[in-house]
Amino acid sequence: MHSHDQDHGHGHSHDHGHHGHSHGAGAPKQVLVWSLLATGGFVVFELAAGLKAHSLALISDAGHNATDALALLLALFAVFLHSKPADESRTYGYHRAGVLAAFVNALALVLLSGWIVWEGWQRLVTPEPVNDTAMLWVAVGAMVLNGSIMLALHSSDRNDINLRGAFLHMLGDLLGSAAIVVGSLVMRYTGWTRVDPVLSLLISGLVVWTAWDIIRDSLNILLEGLPKGIRLEEVTSAMRAVKGVMDVHDLHIWNIGSNSTALSCHVLIEDMPPSLSDRILNDLNHVLNHHYSIHHTTVQFEHVSCAISDTGCVIPVGAQAAHHHH
């Protein structure tokens, strides 16, 4: 029923330079190791200072910093996996490791903020005395640390969802630390101790806000959703406009990693020799590459539409349709 399956999977314009971020793995790796050590050390210091100063804002900020350390650790782990080539069991390589790391990390942040809200509420009901001087200097130190790490991460790679996750954490922490500096000065001059739990509640709101974007983007990639900024009808129309293409169907576009996009489809063409169909394939790849940055394509040419077969081209669900494949 179908044409001889000209699966041009091997003929697509594979951009092997897109294999993760291994091209710049050295630089991000050094930045991540340095950032992880600095953040880890500061978490211990800030937690101790928060307990001593009796400041929930500092303790919550230490918790936020701890998840930043986790973000950096997971990002480092992802850079290591990205540099591993594809193998027999992971035929796409390890691109998704970084995306999964970002997702787990963002969920951890949301859980942490839930704990901060609970503790903050308790403090609002029954205010407790806080050492505002310790709050001030620890928060200033946190601002310097987070600002330095942000600059280092920003210059590394702003496209990687995982490094972006780490960067957003640092931005959230920098804003949180700035709020603590202001809060400690307010407490010093007004004696209003409820500033501390109010700040902790604001920090937790900031945590959820920074985490939500990462959860949404990483979940879209993990669920093989359509990549951000791409519209299916638009891609279909662009492919149908290529000379020699009669129809495009069974089109799937998904992200392998945070910035490596793949596409597979069936293309209906007239019966012609392979030399002519190769020209159509090159034209299709040119359109996909230049207009949509899709570098990994698998195009199956057909001379008779597979819509007249028993189940059409849809991906079968369940064992009863398992034998129908292209």
Side-chain angles (χ1 to χ4, degrees):
M1 190 73 66
H2 298 139
S3 70
H4 52 289
D5 284 356
Q6 282 187 338
D7 183 7
H8 285 277
H10 58 277
H12 47 234
S13 52
H14 258 343
D15 185 352
H16 292 288
H18 262 259
H19 188 66
H21 306 283
S22 44
H23 61 281
K29 203 171 178 181
Q30 282 177 336
V31 168
L32 288 169
V33 169
W34 174 81
S35 303
L36 178 63
L37 291 173
T39 307
F42 192 80
V43 166
V44 177
F45 168 71
E46 190 172 27
L47 185 63
L51 290 167
K52 198 169 182 216
H54 215 61
S55 166
L56 183 60
L58 280 185
I59 294 169
S60 63
D61 200 47
H64 195 182
N65 269 310
T67 54
D68 290 342
L70 173 68
L72 293 165
L73 184 67
L74 292 171
L76 193 61
F77 178 63
V79 167
F80 163 71
L81 288 179
H82 265 233
S83 62
K84 289 181 70 175
D87 54 39
E88 283 181 19
S89 64
R90 300 281 181 274
T91 56
Y92 270 129
Y94 291 82
H95 293 264
R96 287 275 169 91
V99 181
L100 189 60
F103 180 68
V104 170
N105 166 39
L107 276 183
L109 270 175
V110 172
L111 291 173
L112 170 84
S113 57
W115 174 80
I116 295 171
V117 168
W118 171 251
E119 285 294 316
W121 175 251
Q122 303 286 4
R123 288 278 186 100
L124 277 173
V125 175
T126 51
E128 295 179 26
V130 180
N131 182 336
D132 53 72
T133 310
M135 265 180 82
L136 175 67
W137 291 113
V138 173
V140 167
M143 284 181 72
V144 172
L145 176 76
N146 291 320
S148 310
I149 295 174
M150 273 175 67
L151 284 172
L153 287 173
H154 187 73
S155 58
S156 290
D157 192 340
R158 287 289 280 124
N159 293 322
D160 187 314
I161 193 172
N162 211 47
L163 287 180
R164 198 180 89 199
F167 179 87
L168 281 175
H169 283 215
M170 292 300 162
L171 175 63
D173 253 359
L174 186 70
L175 295 172
S177 303
I180 293 172
V181 168
V182 174
S184 63
L185 292 171
V186 169
M187 282 169 67
R188 169 172 289 188
Y189 295 111
T190 66
W192 191 50
T193 52
R194 279 193 175 93
V195 169
D196 184 59
V198 165
L199 281 172
S200 68
L201 292 173
L202 288 172
I203 291 170
S204 64
L206 195 65
V207 168
V208 174
W209 181 70
T210 54
W212 180 246
D213 250 8
I214 304 296
I215 289 175
R216 195 182 54 196
D217 289 357
S218 53
L219 198 58
N220 185 54
I221 294 172
L222 293 171
L223 293 177
E224 310 267 315
L226 195 69
K228 265 175 96 174
I230 289 181
R231 289 178 64 233
L232 207 62
E233 317 85 63
E234 217 178 276
V235 178
T236 307
S237 300
M239 291 177 75
R240 281 179 181 151
V242 170
K243 195 181 173 191
V245 173
M246 293 162 71
D247 192 25
V248 176
H249 55 272
D250 198 28
L251 178 64
H252 303 277
I253 309 171
W254 69 100
N255 270 339
I256 299 168
S258 57
N259 59 357
S260 47
T261 309
L263 172 148
S264 74
C265 66
H266 293 175
V267 174
L268 187 65
I269 58 171
E270 288 179 13
D271 205 348
M272 61 178 71
S275 55
L276 287 173
S277 66
D278 273 352
R279 181 193 57 75
I280 297 174
L281 182 69
N282 288 335
D283 290 349
L284 283 169
N285 278 323
H286 179 79
V287 168
L288 294 170
N289 207 328
H290 286 77
H291 295 282
Y292 304 101
S293 297
I294 300 171
H295 306 283
H296 184 114
T297 61
T298 307
V299 176
Q300 178 178 302
F301 283 148
E302 295 172 344
H303 308 313
V304 181
S305 174
C306 63
I308 57 172
S309 66
D310 47 357
T311 57
C313 285
V314 294
I315 294 173
V317 178
Q320 76 280 2
H323 297 296
H324 177 77
H325 62 88
H326 299 297

